[in-house]
Amino acid sequence: MMDAWLAERVKQSEKCLAKLVKDNAGYSIDAVQPEYRGGTNLVTFGTFRGQPVVFKHFLQPERWANEDFCLKHFAQTGLVPRVLHAIKDALIVMTRLPGQDVVAVLADKKLSPEGVGRLSAEVGQAIGRLAQVALPGEGQGSFPFRAFSIIAWGPHLRQVVEGYLARCRRAQESAEVYQTPFFSESLELLDRELGRIPGQRQILFHEDISNMRVEGECFRGFYDLEMCRLGTDMMQLGVAVGLCGPGGLDWNLLLEGYARATERSFSADDHLSILAMNHFYHLIRICRWG
């Protein structure tokens, strides 16, 4: 049974979509919708002149602004959905990526080891191509990601990491579950990384990197960009580590693909930075939800 909050969200979205379809020829709503339609915003499937599209309805103007900006920022790569129509602060209509979510494809275990390897390299190259898109200069449409406030964040990345590190230390003091050698070493790893952050290349990084579509061993695109924000290439690779491991992608081949796309190499210190940022990704969630 639909709860009251979700029912109200659906009602708002349906009202917005009804007006869109009425005022713009060529749009239609699919009779059957996906079982999961988003945890924060509401996704509706449809078509525009026969082309599959996604109608993404937002309840928070900041999330709309961030996704709209990020889709346009990365449009030149051809790796993200194309914006077809937008209603400020409320709705974005975008092309629908083909294929399945990468997690589902890997869970099916139908890819050969060679297929997983090829997909790993292709995903690494795609992530690297995102990282190669230069940040806009000040006064060139830098809002909203520099003013990101959906979670505790800001333009000074060392200060951001220090803030979460301090929160995690307070959590460790007050919660017995975090009073373990592993958690202590995780915090120390991040603490040792602080001095390197100002010297790392800043990018608009896609934190929810697992939101990608693939067909077999072929990468098709990234989606759900509302949590993209100012970060570093080490942060981007740190979240990519989560795609890899037993039953997942091959980390070495993913990193090789990224290195080819960005024309860079990685030192032992870089590998420690990537590991630290992988821990940071999880530490943020301990601070926010733990």
Side-chain angles (χ1 to χ4, degrees), residues 262-277:
T262 57
E263 298 183 340
R264 64 162 297 174
S265 58
F266 294 91
S267 66
D269 285 341
D270 290 331
H271 283 273
L272 283 175
S273 293
I274 294 168
L275 179 62
M277 290 300 105

Side-chain angles (χ1 to χ4, degrees), residues 36 47 54-55 81 83 87 101 107 190 219 227 231 247 249 278 286:
Y36 179 71
T47 60
V54 172
F55 304 91
V83 176
I87 299 174
D101 286 348
L190 191 59
F219 173 84
M227 290 297 287
L249 299 178
N278 176 260
I286 289 170

Side-chain angles (χ1 to χ4, degrees), residues 10-256:
V10 170
K11 181 180 177 181
Q12 291 181 31
S13 179
E14 288 178 345
K15 182 179 179 181
C16 183
L17 292 183
K19 186 177 188 310
L20 174 75
V21 172
K22 179 182 177 182
D23 295 345
N24 298 271
Y27 285 108
S28 64
I29 309 299
D30 288 357
V32 178
Q33 294 298 322
E35 182 177 349
Y36 179 71
R37 298 177 65 185
T40 306
N41 310 298
L42 193 73
V43 167
T44 300
F45 282 5
T47 60
F48 176 64
R49 296 175 181 170
Q51 178 184 20
V53 300
V54 172
F55 304 91
K56 188 169 182 179
H57 185 253
F58 298 78
L59 293 184
Q60 296 173 296
E62 183 179 19
R63 290 180 181 274
W64 179 92
N66 207 56
E67 179 129 3
D68 182 68
F69 177 90
C70 295
L71 286 169
K72 293 171 182 175
H73 177 77
F74 290 125
Q76 61 184 280
T77 67
L79 299 174
V80 300
R82 182 165 52 90
V83 176
L84 301 177
H85 192 96
I87 299 174
K88 183 174 172 57
D89 295 342
L91 182 74
I92 299 175
V93 185
M94 63 192 83
T95 53
R96 194 191 318 170
L97 298 172
Q100 297 176 275
D101 286 348
V102 65
V103 174
V105 169
L106 293 170
D108 285 343
K109 297 182 179 180
K110 293 180 179 178
L111 291 181
S112 67
E114 294 77 16
V116 171
R118 285 189 288 270
L119 179 60
S120 301
E122 194 168 342
V123 167
Q125 289 182 23
I127 297 172
R129 287 173 60 193
L130 291 189
Q132 287 296 89
V133 180
L135 293 173
E138 295 295 340
Q140 299 179 26
S142 58
F143 177 83
F145 71 85
R146 292 184 189 274
F148 192 91
S149 60
I150 296 172
I151 63 172
W153 209 257
H156 305 293
L157 296 176
R158 174 170 177 159
Q159 292 178 16
V160 168
V161 178
E162 284 178 322
Y164 279 107
L165 190 57
R167 291 183 183 92
C168 282
R169 284 180 169 144
R170 290 196 295 271
Q172 188 179 41
E173 290 173 0
S174 60
E176 186 176 353
V177 69
Y178 298 133
Q179 294 166 7
T180 66
F182 178 84
F183 195 76
S184 296
E185 182 57 28
S186 179
L187 298 184
E188 288 305 309
L189 174 68
L190 191 59
D191 186 67
R192 293 193 295 271
E193 179 63 15
L194 290 175
R196 300 195 73 215
I197 292 172
Q200 292 170 356
R201 181 170 177 263
Q202 291 192 348
I203 63 171
L204 183 58
F205 93 106
H206 186 5
E207 184 191 66
D208 294 332
I209 200 68
S210 61
N211 289 336
M212 66 174 75
R213 304 284 282 183
V214 302
E215 286 185 306
E217 60 192 54
C218 298
F219 173 84
R220 295 304 185 208
F222 300 103
Y223 68 95
D224 203 8
L225 306 181
E226 67 187 76
M227 290 297 287
C228 291
R229 58 192 184 273
L230 188 67
T232 67
D233 53 353
M234 297 293 102
M235 290 179 183
Q236 186 66 89
L237 287 167
V239 298
V241 169
L243 298 169
C244 304
L249 299 178
D250 183 298
W251 168 248
N252 289 326
L253 293 174
L254 186 150
L255 187 62
E256 286 178 14

